[in-house]
Amino acid sequence: ATVIELAWLDGLGGYKGRSNWYDDKLSRNGTLLYNSMPSGMKEPWDSSRNEIRMLDVEPNGVEAFATYLKKYSDAGELPQDQ
């Protein structure tokens, strides 16, 4: 599946690749996304401007994606600080 989101410009680079859509967002070694980014994308975010992001995630299909969303919701099994 592909998630499309409207977000702050350079937010993923500014937050060191920490995306709520990927499991490694709290990785001590940096996220796969951040480690894959060219240096020109690693800049402070700009909350006065936006970008549209397209992020590929593992679930494929409606039911798998619904389960994936639940994992990160208030009803999911992860601690709320994740």
Side-chain angles (χ1 to χ4, degrees):
T2 300
V3 173
I4 301 170
E5 66 179 353
L6 179 66
W8 288 345
L9 181 66
D10 296 322
L12 288 175
Y15 281 111
K16 300 201 182 294
R18 294 183 183 119
S19 171
N20 290 330
W21 299 106
Y22 297 120
D23 289 333
D24 68 344
K25 78 175 189 177
L26 300 177
S27 173
R28 295 180 194 267
N29 299 322
T31 66
L32 178 61
L33 181 62
Y34 189 73
N35 293 332
S36 301
M37 282 182 183
S39 59
M41 293 180 71
K42 298 175 181 177
E43 303 197 14
W45 66 85
D46 181 348
S47 61
S48 69
R49 298 175 66 200
N50 295 313
E51 65 187 10
I52 297 173
R53 300 181 192 146
M54 298 178 74
L55 305 160
D56 290 329
V57 294
E58 289 183 33
N60 55 3
V62 175
E63 289 182 28
F65 189 66
T67 301
Y68 180 80
L69 289 176
K70 183 179 177 184
K71 176 180 178 179
Y72 294 100
S73 75
D74 292 343
E77 70 270 4
L78 294 175
Q80 290 301 305
D81 61 346
Q82 291 188 12

